[in-house]
Amino acid sequence: MLNLIFYSDQLFPECSAIDLRLVDLLKARGGGNRIAYVASGPEPDRSFFLAGQSYYGRHDLDLALFYDLDEPHPAEDIAGLFASDAIHLAGGHTGEFLQRLKRSGMLGPLRNWAPSGGILIGVSAGAILMGPTIATDALFIGRRPEEITDGNALDLMPFEFFPHLSDEDTYLPDLLRYSTGTARPIVACNDGDGAVVAGGKIECVGNPLWISGGAVRAPGEIELGGFSIA
């Protein structure tokens, strides 16, 4: 059963509603509180990891393991990663994060681990990676999503994710245009919004927009192959 947490960011008070859903999911799994952190890129001072420890610590969650995709890891390190109750995919440069996952051979293992009952947490770039493709990330680097031909990602849900919607006025019209050429709906979130996938349901937290066929749609208008939207 998939348990996925999509954050646009973790810097806003509104994120507390998503945090509480994470805590509930961990309790439902038996109360484990150990989270592993997969860095999106080089982090020699571990500043984002340390900030994450403080963030999760507010809810008595233990961000206990730092995993650098650029470093070789013995089998026990990899086993420790996948023995965690949850895995946090950090924010950062989405394209470089995807390439690191591929080079390290971790894209497939993460994809296979997600249905095992653990909780996969994505923040910004990490959340984009949980969809079929990172195409929407093109808007952050001055490109069009249609130009991304090598963006196949974890493909855990049949929608694409877009964070930080309110940062630029052009993002929404660009997403509307892109949605006319892709069959997959797009979930677009302002910072503080997010989505939680659990029990075969997709729960919208805050006010994410569902975009499909060139328009913003009501959740009831979206078809997601067996998943219901709340």
Side-chain angles (χ1 to χ4, degrees), residues 30-48:
N33 71 341
R34 189 172 182 271
I35 303 174
Y37 176 98
V38 179
S40 62
E43 200 173 312
D45 61 359
R46 300 197 178 184
S47 57
F48 294 108

Side-chain angles (χ1 to χ4, degrees), residues 70-100:
D70 293 332
E71 295 289 333
H73 290 275
E76 55 266 29
D77 283 2
I78 298 172
L81 172 68
F82 291 116
S84 301
D85 300 294
I87 296 175
H88 170 112
L89 303 178
H93 189 291
T94 313
E96 292 179 3
F97 197 174
L98 177 58
Q99 292 308 310
R100 285 184 171 88

Side-chain angles (χ1 to χ4, degrees), residues 14-185:
E14 294 86 351
C15 294
S16 61
I18 311 173
D19 300 340
L20 293 176
R21 290 294 291 118
L22 170 60
V23 171
D24 288 344
L25 286 176
L26 286 166
K27 287 179 178 177
R29 293 186 67 252
N33 71 341
R34 189 172 182 271
I35 303 174
Y37 176 98
V38 179
S40 62
E43 200 173 312
D45 61 359
R46 300 197 178 184
S47 57
F48 294 108
F49 173 70
L50 294 173
Q53 285 186 321
S54 296
Y55 183 89
Y56 286 118
R58 299 176 306 165
H59 297 288
D60 295 323
L61 304 180
D62 182 17
L63 193 65
L65 186 152
F66 179 92
Y67 196 92
D68 186 338
L69 294 166
D70 293 332
E71 295 289 333
H73 290 275
E76 55 266 29
D77 283 2
I78 298 172
L81 172 68
F82 291 116
S84 301
D85 300 294
I87 296 175
H88 170 112
L89 303 178
H93 189 291
T94 313
E96 292 179 3
F97 197 174
L98 177 58
Q99 292 308 310
R100 285 184 171 88
L101 286 168
K102 290 179 177 178
R103 285 197 304 269
S104 65
M106 290 301 291
L107 191 68
L110 278 169
R111 183 187 292 128
N112 294 335
W113 178 82
S116 71
I119 300 170
L120 195 58
I121 304 162
V123 179
S124 189
I128 294 173
L129 282 163
M130 294 199 293
T133 173
I134 66 166
T136 61
D137 179 71
L139 299 181
F140 297 123
I141 55 175
R143 298 179 64 188
R144 294 161 60 94
E146 299 90 333
E147 298 173 1
I148 305 300
T149 58
D150 59 348
N152 291 345
L154 287 166
D155 197 13
L156 296 173
M157 290 300 299
F159 61 75
E160 299 183 43
F161 187 79
F162 186 80
H164 318 305
L165 178 63
S166 62
D167 282 5
E168 297 286 347
D169 293 339
T170 57
Y171 287 159
L172 181 55
D174 285 345
L175 291 170
L176 291 168
R177 177 195 51 74
Y178 169 54
S179 74
T180 64
T182 178
R184 292 184 292 261

Side-chain angles (χ1 to χ4, degrees), residues 183-204:
R184 292 184 292 261
I186 302 160
V187 179
C189 289
N190 294 321
D191 293 331
D193 296 341
V196 176
V197 177
K201 297 180 180 179
I202 302 167
E203 177 185 346
C204 299

